[in-house]
Amino acid sequence: MPIAKVNGVEIEFEPGMTVLQVAELAGEEIPRFCYHERLSIAGNCRMCLVEVKPGPPKPQASCALPAADKQEIFTNTPMVKKAREGVMEFLLINHPLDCPICDQGGECDLQDEAMGYGRDDSRYVENKRAVEEKFMGPLIKTTMTRCIQCTRCVRFATEIAGVSDLGLIGRGEDAEITTYLEQAVASELSGNLADICPVGALTHKPWAFNYRPWELKKTESVDVMDALGSAIRVDARGPEVMRILPRVNEAINEEWLADKSRYAVDGLMRQRLDRPYVRVGGKLVEATWAQAFAAVAGKIKATAPDRIGVIAGDLSAAEEMKAALDLFTALGVKSIDCRQDGSALHPKWGRESYLFNSTIQGIEDADAIMLIGTNPRIEAPLVNARIRKRWIRGDVLVGVVGEQADLTFPYTYLGAGVDSLKRFVDHGPIQKEKPIFILGAGAFARPDGAAILAMAAEAAGSMGLVKDGWNGFNVLHTAASRVGGLDMGFVPAEGGKTALQMVEKGGADVLFLLGADEIDLGQTDAFVIYMGSHGDAGAHRADVVLPGAAYTEKPGLYVNTEGRTQMAERAIFPKGEAKEDWTILRALSDELGARLPYDTIEQLRDKLITDHPTFGQIDYAPGHASAAAFDLMAVGEKGETTDAPFVSPVKDFYLTNPIARASRTMAECSSLHAGASKMAAE
Amino acid sequence: MSVRRLAKIQPESFAFSEETRATADWWISKYPEGRLASAVIPILWLAQKQEGWVSEPAIRAVAELLGMPVIRVFEVATFYTMFMLEPVGTKALIQVCGTTPCRLRGAGDIMEVCKTKIGLKDHLSADGNFTWQEVECLGACANAPMAQINDYYFEDLTADSMAQIIDDFAAGKTPKPGSYAGRHSSEPEGGPLTLTDPALYDGSLAKPVILPNQPAPEPVEGGAA
């Protein structure tokens, strides 16, 4: 490997690295604005100047200069310092001095670098330029006078998000960042624009003027808005979550975050269930915990176990599902289900049958991708971004069976439904090293889901998706709780009913909903007990409401679609009289005379891990580890299928769960998006 | 130069004429499949030739024709000042050079004439016939002061000749481009002072030149060596 000297220290580097990367490798920090390691190189801010020998006797932009063998790089000479000070002075010529009212203040790259390279005064006496504000949608606030034209946002939108909406118009002093005719940015990843903006030109509109970064308590946690479990940081002030930002997790979200995960936070303060309610005379009336428990215990004790149903929702942590599972199994209840969407996935066919086995990072190794009954752009935007990343690198086949949606990359459309999938059942091995299927809820969450699952598995077997060192059979879930539920066997016992059967008329006499809001409760005539955080569909129909905690208010284990167990932390306390959900079940178990054998969350987790060891493997995704033992032929149940096309269950990206539905920001995005797609259809 | 914006009043639609479309196809055929965006500048120019200026529907039409995001076409159209984003005079677009040599030779007077006869710089005249602009060096310094009117250079202008040209355009005539001081091109005023020997031009003074790599000349029958 070539060797360069950075400030006199020799360092080995990979061929093809830039001078900036080599200097970073040697531990030298290079200031930069336009350079971003996940975007293409622009080289237009000139802040990363260094001195390089051999070379012309002038400072060079290190981000765009390839490092060479025996090169000498200097990052701390007087020439470098002077050159950077000159660049900084130019950048600040037109930059307003409004740090005190700027939302980026305190976490601004320009502010930070100005501490090192800025002058204490200005020599510029001419007029500063002013730029008209731009409209970029309900999520991105613009103050374009602050823009330093680094074009990171343009490159992010074009390269990562795959929507060529942003551009740099005009030139020279009049250059401006804008969208065409000031349309909103049509991306599910638009919040990242504000993250990558090194100054305060693009900031988060929903949180404008609400906080200063240094007054927030930061808690590292896990996102539950989709099934990816993106790494997030919850920033709270007092009892309120002010914002959610992504953390770097190369395996899942890199450093991006979908808009719903980021901006649904205002939903955490609205529509909250902060005390128990009991329905009296057709109306929900405020009650004490004792009254609520009495109502619940009385009803459950008076009902035969086979007339009781338990349904877990999309946002439940593993702890409360385990507590509910233990409690109701002990009571003899068999109708227990975590699949409120009616999906056919079942743990009896092996863990691999419902995991994203190639892993999300593995998408980058795949050379043939078939999306079946899924629209990853709205079901899991970051999976879509990964597929796009893979597509940009080239030499990959992408096919779609299902909805013909704009996925931000071109693909071969293979058909709408079962018939198109059937053609691949006896396809034979394909001439690709690492092919993958991505199977979405549109395929398996329907009455003939088990048969489709069997068909997809058979096609996967025929095409050679599963082999030594590679497992390309992927299931993309839409709910954060689903894999955890399947892992612990939160499915109907022998003779039990599925979630959809339970909510039929006469399906059950008592329904216990663990935050289940995405299931149609219009038919059921059961006594409904709803435990959850938000007054949504479930609470609306409930006879007793037990206020629980939202995901930011409780520690919890979540298993993402890859089978990766991750631990979320509590950032703030539950609202009002609400309690962490597992403690409610623990207290209820006393009332029911079936005391759960754990008093602390550690004991509960011990029990969970003892019963289901996969929950102990924090941050581990099995991937292809068990590919050899995975029998594709055993997956699903062969049977009749209908020719209905595959339709993604996610109708509206912005409103998939009770928290998002309570959020005004998400409502605004949703109506804007609906208007835009209506216009596009006309 | 100032901030360039799309005109406030835009036409309903834009359609390539048959002729423009044919030329556009000729340009497009120069670039390989998937690289059509390379043709964006010539196609925008064709659109401008057709309408006189680049309207918002035209930008969209170009984007659609080349299969590129409309913001990318917008970037190009706003970057290059030769793309007119506002309607210009139907009879003449007068671009007066205002860079140093022209300025020293009286470009100020030319602009004054434009201002009195047409109106404000960068504004469409009241009758819609004329627009005049001040532009940077057009590369005809030897014939300063000069202006580009529509597609041609009008050189060695004076206030009087400029006024006459504007009047001619207004009257629907097509004034002759080139020098208005009687010059053929950029030779000195009053005719050439050097290289006046006619023998220079009839070949009689030419010496046979032997280029280093020239192959030996084929003997020509009856010809002089």
Side-chain angles (χ1 to χ4, degrees), chain A residues 458-633:
Chain A
E458 208 176 328
S462 161
M463 292 165 82
L465 265 64
V466 181
K467 49 189 151 189
D468 196 27
W470 184 252
N471 187 342
F473 186 77
N474 293 328
V475 173
L476 181 61
H477 290 265
T478 51
S481 69
R482 198 59 41 79
V483 175
L486 292 168
D487 274 354
M488 70 176 71
F490 204 102
V491 288
E494 198 63 41
K497 289 176 176 164
T498 65
L500 294 183
Q501 288 166 343
M502 286 179 231
V503 296
E504 283 169 11
K505 193 170 170 61
D509 289 343
V510 173
L511 268 182
F512 194 97
L513 306 179
L514 251 72
D517 289 292
E518 271 66 47
I519 190 161
D520 180 17
L521 296 169
Q523 298 303 315
T524 182
D525 47 5
F527 182 85
V528 177
I529 304 155
Y530 179 81
M531 183 175 82
S533 57
H534 280 70
D536 202 73
H540 184 70
R541 169 65 186 79
D543 295 292
V544 179
V545 172
L546 305 174
Y551 71 109
T552 48
E553 295 154 12
K554 61 189 172 193
L557 294 171
Y558 293 92
V559 189
N560 83 348
T561 191
E562 302 166 290
R564 187 189 302 272
T565 308
Q566 299 190 100
M567 205 183 279
E569 298 291 347
R570 182 177 60 209
I572 53 171
F573 288 97
K575 299 273 171 277
E577 290 179 34
K579 297 275 182 280
E580 285 172 27
D581 303 57
W582 78 270
T583 59
I584 300 173
L585 289 158
R586 169 68 181 74
L588 185 63
S589 69
D590 263 343
E591 299 281 325
L592 292 167
R595 173 180 291 203
L596 289 169
Y598 23 80
D599 296 326
T600 64
I601 193 158
E602 286 74 23
Q603 290 171 356
L604 167 53
R605 283 180 178 163
D606 270 352
K607 174 87 164 44
L608 179 65
I609 292 167
T610 315
D611 292 354
H612 315 283
T614 54
F615 285 94
Q617 300 167 333
I618 299 289
D619 286 340
Y620 167 77
H624 60 74
S626 55
F630 180 33
D631 182 10
L632 277 168
M633 290 305 140

Side-chain angles (χ1 to χ4, degrees), chain A residues 243-317:
Chain A
R243 63 173 182 181
I244 286 178
L245 295 179
R247 281 185 294 133
V248 175
N249 186 345
E250 294 296 341
I252 301 172
N253 56 328
E254 299 178 271
E255 64 185 78
W256 317 123
L257 196 58
D259 286 350
K260 184 171 41 175
S261 312
R262 190 192 292 264
Y263 294 116
V265 284
D266 62 326
L268 291 168
M269 292 297 280
R270 289 178 213 284
Q271 295 278 54
R272 289 305 302 267
L273 302 171
D274 59 353
R275 56 181 306 140
Y277 288 88
V278 175
R279 196 175 289 274
V280 179
K283 272 189 143 177
L284 281 173
V285 184
E286 290 181 0
T288 62
W289 274 107
Q291 289 166 335
F293 276 154
V296 172
K299 196 74 192 175
I300 289 180
K301 277 181 185 163
T303 311
D306 61 341
R307 297 296 299 160
I308 298 177
V310 183
I311 304 173
D314 288 354
L315 307 181
S316 304

